[in-house]
Structure formats: structure tokens, C-alpha cells
Amino acid sequence: MKILETENCILRPVTLDDYVDLYEYYKIPDVVKFLPIKKHKSYSDTKRFIKSFFISNYEKGKIGHYAIVSKKNNKVIGNVGFNNISKSTKNAEIGICINPKYWGNNISVELVEALIEYGFKELDLESIYAMTYEDNIYAKNVLNKLNFKHERDFNKKFINTGNKAIKCSKYTLYKKDYISL
């Protein structure tokens, strides 16, 4: 995967050496609440996850999530990317997970902007979409600011909520709309 750069961050592939930084936020229940994984209880959990979710998909030639490395301290503060797509994919889901210590620093917009540009200009995607849950007002604000359009609402069950159905929303940005901006 191509290394990307924003004003405040470097986006690069996740490596096994990142396990301490990733464990720092994957051990927090609120971080994984709406992810398809359980909170990590040990460094071993995080190492296994890095191997299966990140490295395995890179080895298969998929374009996936990047480590978000802060330029200020060279620390991995989260991960962001497309949810393991092939190079021939035309529609891709974007995902982001940031360590709560860095919430509220308004880096989500710059991270998603970098992925949008990469997705449309270099990967030739036709659309990029994101799913968010009802209470995540911040994510909805970021998506609206970047001209994603609300497409639909739906209920989804999450393993970390006891399989309780949570209202979610899908937002999409189409290449034709991106080009016209």
C-alpha cells in the first residue's frame, strides 16, 4: 500500500511492532463497542489481530487499513483505511478507529480527505461509503463536511452490545460528486 501523508499524520501499513500502541486503544470497551471484535485482553490478542486483520490482508494484495502515525511524537494513534478491498474494487467502505486520547483533535477530516483522494484518483473507485451508528454525531458531522450523502438507516447487531440492534446510517460519496467539488 502506498504511504500517505496529511498535515499531522503519516499513514503507513500496520506492522507487528505497532502492537503496544494498538493494544492501548483496542483494550478499551468503548473503542471496540461497534467493531466486529472483542476488546483485547493482552498484547497477544493484539499481535494475533495485527497478523489476521492487517498483515494477512496485505499479503493477499488487499488494500486495507493504515496505521495513523502522529508526526508530533511518532506514535500510532489509530488506524484508518478501506475495509480490505482488492485493486479491482469500485466501491469501498472506509473505516476509522482512533485512540480516545486523541479524540477531539479534529484529525478525522484530514485522514478521510487523504483516503478519498487516494481512492478516487489512484484506485479509481466509483464510490466510497461509511457506516456509522446513531449516537456517533462526530462521525456524521465529518461525513457531512466532506459531502458524503446520507443514503439510508438500518439496524445492525453488534457482538459487544449483546447483539442488541443499533440504529446505523450509511453515507456515500460518489466520484462524480467529488470531481465536481
Side-chain angles (χ1 to χ4, degrees), residues 1-6 9-15 58 63 65-69 71 114-115 118 122:
M1 292 186 345
K2 177 182 176 182
I3 294 174
L4 305 175
E5 187 171 346
T6 70
C9 302
I10 301 291
L11 304 181
R12 59 143 174 89
V14 175
T15 70
Y58 300 156
I63 298 159
H65 275 240
Y66 289 95
I68 304 166
V69 182
K71 288 181 180 177
L115 285 171
Y118 177 57
E122 296 189 40

Side-chain angles (χ1 to χ4, degrees), residues 11 38 44 51 71-72 86 94-95 109 113 132:
L11 304 181
K38 294 187 182 236
S44 295
K51 288 176 187 175
K71 288 181 180 177
K72 289 180 185 172
S86 69
I94 197 169
V109 171
E113 281 177 328
T132 185

Side-chain angles (χ1 to χ4, degrees), residues 23-84:
Y23 175 72
E24 188 176 303
Y25 60 94
Y26 279 126
K27 69 180 181 180
I28 302 170
D30 279 348
V31 170
V32 300
K33 185 175 183 180
F34 297 109
L35 297 178
I37 61 170
K38 294 187 182 236
K39 76 175 186 166
H40 293 190
K41 295 178 182 175
S42 67
Y43 287 143
S44 295
D45 288 347
T46 305
K47 287 178 182 178
R48 271 192 301 278
F49 182 66
I50 289 171
K51 288 176 187 175
S52 67
F53 181 73
F54 298 102
I55 295 172
S56 173
N57 283 302
Y58 300 156
E59 289 172 346
K60 293 175 186 170
K62 293 189 176 186
I63 298 159
H65 275 240
Y66 289 95
I68 304 166
V69 182
S70 171
K71 288 181 180 177
K72 289 180 185 172
N73 58 10
N74 203 36
K75 178 179 176 61
V76 174
I77 62 169
N79 55 275
V80 64
F82 298 111
N83 290 340
N84 298 314

Side-chain angles (χ1 to χ4, degrees), residues 131-152:
M131 306 290 194
T132 185
Y133 54 93
E134 182 176 36
D135 295 338
N136 194 344
I137 303 302
Y138 182 73
K140 291 178 181 184
N141 289 339
V142 169
L143 295 169
N144 285 324
K145 182 175 185 169
L146 295 173
N147 296 307
F148 280 73
K149 302 295 181 219
H150 178 265
E151 291 211 330
R152 66 183 177 94

Side-chain angles (χ1 to χ4, degrees), residues 28 30-31 77 97-106 133 138:
I28 302 170
D30 279 348
V31 170
I77 62 169
C97 186
I98 297 177
N99 185 327
K101 290 180 180 179
Y102 299 89
W103 288 357
N105 290 330
N106 295 319
Y133 54 93
Y138 182 73

